């Protein structure tokens, strides 16, 4: 029986439908990002939404508990992808690809606590750009930062900063501060909380929960408060403690080189070397970075959403892009452990969407959800056939056109539809026009009407709407 | 330890990665289809990849066993979407939308036996266009067929036919042939096999497996061999048996009206009223249609893939588009059972991909996977900084450009890269050029070289590559 209703109509918690208006905004953002990726010569690939469960095993540390598994219905054990980086590494190893520059835009899945007002969903898009291959140091890394700079500029989201650091600097720092080797990762993930927690609380977690000595914590505290540019990297290379770590020195030299290339790209104004940047994921091996919006308008929007008590004190609104170098991940999939060095960036598109949506809401201009140029209308009854014939001609000429699906629609309701949908032109057919071989072309905004011969109609529509 | 390799590197049976070449073809096909959908004024929406399990329950008849379920990890029971139509109906009911024309392009999931050489995957794209709303008969239905006609023409896949029929004609036919009411659906799904099985085998299934009388089967056999146009609909309206069914008559009158509108759209050359067309899905209530390729080249490709013994006898290569009217589906989700009449079409994109891929393989022209206009190269050593500075200028001017990620790449390897990737231009920097304030612009195809001043470079690149 087709009329028995279901009891609940909803989607899964933490997921959402996108309505046409949201899709129009999404399309605009994607186009900007894809244009940038293509400008930098990237190819694109696609991978299945699920991977074999074992492909994802051991890649995400503690976050593995957030992976969605499929039910065992006989056959292979599957999990929904958690990010696009591990599928990319699997793709490279499986196809023995050692050089590629690719972007991949697709949805990923995390069984996280949804916080949809803050733009945190369980199904969300990632826009990843990665460069794989054995190249000279920091050249592809610098290009990734240039890309972030271009995209955030073009999207016009307000002022931003790109923080950079290096896993080797963090590890070297932990070593010289007296953190035991086996505590590097867990201390690192505590440092990662510095953008949400005060140093006091971070220190407490290190000492009380992770069992670090107070002394070591204090030394870390000094370093992670440091921010600067190439000068800071130079100073730390001279630092009596830091310079004892070979790893840290390698990282610091690369940061210097990175800044040199970023100067050539004219993007150093937005880039800051920040020793508190840690980033959670296990697989990073070198440079890491994260872009945050700093503009007041974005701050207030984010604070409102985050229900933040000390709103005015906040300067950053969380990450809108992040990435880094992961030279070991592809080797994890290769039977012989062959390494393919990789560096990449992921654009945090969901947060960008919500900012763009807020901007659209605040703007007096209506978001159009179609690009229709003209409505084929009739002023009298019994002209359906003539309307269908005309619209068919327009479609065949590549004109975006609509007609009302009624035999005898009222002229007023046809015009109202155009106003609501933002359709700029109406072709009005009437007995007289048909006799004269013309169409009355009406400009919706000005209500101006002019008779156009059927032969000139298409070029006239193009002239008026394809500016 | 990041060097421990996994044992198996593969993707789930019946799914695949798309490499950059396949993605380039896919993008071209999608662009053609989306352009058509937009020309007809469609908005787009998106829905989550999984739905609550209960949303999909009872919508697909026997095919329900092919639904992928997620594991119960606490929380809601979820299934991967099986098509885009049921999520669309759920979306309409949930948001109380009674009028919309939307397209949706996304992947769907079926635990079917994969037959990847025949383009049958477990994860595959659907491209759906649907019109929801209470409108005058057959106007939106005719537009759906016009869309199929436009898309198949534009994709240039060879000759095609669009078969149309109506669920009410099928049901009426079953009634007047003496099929018991409770056997309509199962007999209908047997009729649906006529494109793959001979009438003899279909009849056997009806009589031996489904328990239909031989007499009734023979009567059905007569009808389902009929093909024609508006004339056939008129003849059947006079048919002494068929005309006894009110349902059949309603369907036949609508087929007549449909052909009238299709004549105005000039597409009747490809459309055939075919009483053997059944289509499996439960939810259709009115007009149904299916487009098949008939061209020899496509036939041979498909036959090869299908390992078909009687290759030369085959005329159709299976469906590349299909759809119909489903007036009851939205009501299944509405608590009050309110109906929203819908009609739509789904483009069988996977089969189209594989035909386009075969065409690309056969063509002497290489498929480009990027749109890069120029490579910034150097003729001597130690010019990395100059290359980075120049490419940064080009990127900022919107030029698609690449540079090799080496401090001192050989000129030859830079030129070879261009040849392989199909990059048409090279900007060559050398000591002399830098002194003179020029760039040597090389046309890869002709090896022509010309000095261009730095001030004119961007406009010159655009002139030569943005034809």
């Amino acid at each position: 029986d087709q009329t028995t209703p279901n009891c609940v109509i909803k989607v899964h918690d933490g997921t959402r439908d996108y309505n046409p208006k949201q899709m129009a905004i999404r399309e605009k953002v994607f186009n900007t990002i894809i244009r940038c990726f293509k400008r930098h010569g990237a190819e694109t690939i696609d991978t299945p939404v699920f991977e074999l469960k074992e492909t994802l095993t051991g890649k995400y540390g503690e976050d593995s508990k957030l992976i969605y598994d499929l039910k065992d219905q006989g056959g292979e054990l599957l999990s929904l992808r958690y990010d696009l980086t591990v599928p990319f590494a699997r793709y490279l190893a499986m196809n023995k690809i050692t050089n590629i520059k690719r972007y991949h835009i697709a949805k990923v899945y995390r069984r996280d606590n949804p916080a949809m007002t803050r733009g945190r969903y369980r199904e969300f898009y990632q826009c990843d750009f990665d460069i794989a291959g054995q190249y000279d140091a920091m050249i592809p890394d610098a290009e990734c930062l240039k890309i972030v700079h271009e995209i955030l500029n073009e999207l016009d989201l307000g002022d931003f900063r790109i923080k950079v650091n290096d896993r080797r600097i963090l590890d070297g720092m932990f070593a010289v501060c007296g953190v035991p080797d086996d505590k590097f990762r867990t201390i690192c993930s505590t440092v990662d909380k510095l953008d949400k927690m005060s140093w006091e609380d971070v220190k407490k977690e290190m000492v009380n929960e992770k069992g670090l000595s107070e002394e070591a914590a204090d030394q870390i505290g000094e370093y992670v408060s440091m921010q600067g540019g190439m000068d800071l990297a130079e100073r730390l290379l001279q630092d009596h403690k830091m310079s004892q770590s070979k790893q840290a020195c390698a990282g610091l030299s690369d940061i210097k080189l990175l800044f040199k290339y970023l100067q050539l790209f004219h993007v150093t104004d937005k880039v800051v070397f920040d020793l508190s940047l840690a980033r959670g994921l296990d697989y990073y091996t070198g440079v890491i970075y994260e872009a945050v919006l700093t503009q007041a308008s974005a701050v207030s929007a984010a604070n409102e959403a985050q229900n933040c008590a000390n709103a005015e004190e906040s300067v950053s609104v969380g990450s809108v892009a992040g990435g880094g170098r992961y030279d070991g991940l592809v080797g994890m999939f290769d039977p012989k452990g062959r390494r393919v060095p990789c560096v990449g960036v992921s654009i945090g598109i969901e947060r960008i969407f919500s900012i763009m949506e807020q901007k659209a809401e605040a703007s007096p201009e209506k978001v159009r959800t179609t690009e229709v140029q003209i409505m084929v209308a009739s002023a009298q009854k019994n002209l359906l056939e003539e309307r269908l014939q005309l619209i068919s001609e327009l479609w065949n000429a590549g004109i975006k056109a609509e007609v009302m699906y009624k035999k005898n629609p009222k002229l007023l309701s046809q015009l109202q539809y155009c106003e609501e949908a933002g359709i700029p032109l109406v072709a009005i057919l009437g007995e007289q026009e048909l006799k004269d071989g013309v169409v009355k072309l009406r400009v919706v905004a000005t209500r101006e009407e002019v008779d156009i011969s059927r032969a000139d109609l298409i070029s006239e529509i193009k002239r008026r709407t394809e500016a």
Side-chain angles (χ1 to χ4, degrees), chain A residues 160-261:
Chain A
F160 60 89
R161 286 287 165 282
I162 308 174
K163 303 179 196 172
V164 303
N165 197 5
D166 194 296
R167 259 297 157 82
R168 293 165 298 172
I169 299 174
L170 283 165
D171 284 352
M173 174 182 84
F174 294 141
V176 301
C177 292
V179 178
D181 281 18
D182 61 344
K183 288 204 167 128
F184 279 14
R185 279 289 159 272
T186 182
I187 293 299
C188 190
S189 69
T190 304
V191 168
D192 197 28
K193 296 178 183 168
L194 269 173
D195 56 343
K196 284 168 208 132
M197 278 160 59
S198 69
W199 165 248
E200 283 68 38
D201 291 337
V202 165
K203 184 182 162 184
K204 246 180 241 164
E205 186 176 312
M206 286 179 177
V207 176
N208 301 344
E209 289 177 38
K210 312 254 164 128
L212 196 65
S213 73
E214 188 135 351
E215 222 184 317
D218 284 335
Q219 289 184 35
I220 292 172
E222 259 177 63
Y223 283 119
V224 296
S225 67
M226 294 179 182
Q227 291 194 349
M230 196 191 274
D231 53 317
L232 175 59
E234 272 160 1
R235 218 167 65 229
L236 287 170
L237 275 169
Q238 311 301 325
D239 182 272
H240 71 283
K241 224 164 41 198
M242 199 68 116
S243 59
Q244 288 166 17
S245 161
K246 258 194 190 169
Q247 258 202 317
C249 290
L252 290 163
S253 302
D254 273 351
I255 290 282
K256 273 182 64 182
L257 193 57
L258 179 67
F259 268 93
K260 185 175 138 192
Y261 295 151

Side-chain angles (χ1 to χ4, degrees), chain A residues 76-127:
Chain A
E76 297 162 316
L77 289 181
L78 305 171
S79 300
L80 296 186
R81 62 184 163 209
Y82 183 84
D83 66 9
L84 301 178
T85 310
V86 169
F88 176 55
R90 190 266 308 148
Y91 174 82
L92 295 187
M94 194 171 128
N95 296 287
K96 299 192 170 49
I97 294 166
T98 55
N99 295 275
I100 193 172
K101 178 160 56 179
R102 82 89 181 77
Y103 71 90
H104 189 186
I105 297 184
K107 286 177 178 174
V108 301
Y109 299 86
R110 300 185 182 180
R111 291 177 52 250
D112 217 334
N113 282 327
M116 285 145 79
T117 49
R118 279 188 278 160
R120 198 165 79 207
Y121 292 88
R122 287 174 165 177
E123 175 186 58
F124 59 95
Y125 268 98
Q126 288 200 331
C127 299

